[in-house]
Amino acid sequence: MNTLRAVVAEKPGFVYEPPDGPDGGCMYVHEDEHGRQVPGCLVGHVYNRLGASLDALSLNEGHGPSFVASDPAVRLDLSFRALHALAEAQKSQDMGDTWSEALGAAEREFERQ
């Protein structure tokens, strides 16, 4: 949760928009204007900060946070509570909430578990 809080603190009012437009899905990895891979959605930022490579994340596009964390190429040892909180953050973000609002949803889910 501390990594999620740190990412959100940098851009609390940010509203994620998929690279393919509002009807596109959330992507863990985007390309910048120079064609380089960069973290995309909130969970992509968190997982990258925790040590997941952008290549490994890009291979997991379309999968939820729990699946991605368990991928041998990603190998993140996160608690059940943290995984559920991240899934809630992603859901909130995907509904158009700011990252700060997504953090609030994650914090509530973390406390419920």
Side-chain angles (χ1 to χ4, degrees), residues 29-80:
V29 179
H30 291 196
E31 283 190 3
D32 69 11
E33 62 275 2
H34 304 291
R36 294 181 299 227
Q37 288 186 322
V38 295
C41 70
L42 182 53
V43 174
H45 278 268
V46 170
Y47 281 4
N48 185 241
R49 292 248 182 118
L50 290 172
S53 74
L54 294 174
D55 286 335
L57 291 175
S58 69
L59 293 174
N60 280 284
E61 298 292 4
H63 296 290
S66 294
F67 181 91
V68 175
S70 68
D71 182 315
V74 175
R75 287 179 282 191
L76 296 177
D77 186 25
L78 300 174
S79 71
F80 175 83

Side-chain angles (χ1 to χ4, degrees), residues 7-8 11-12 14 16 42 45 93 97-103:
V7 169
V8 170
K11 295 167 48 172
F14 182 74
Y16 176 80
L42 182 53
H45 278 268
Q93 169 205 259
D97 293 341
T98 66
W99 279 7
S100 181
E101 292 166 327
L103 174 61

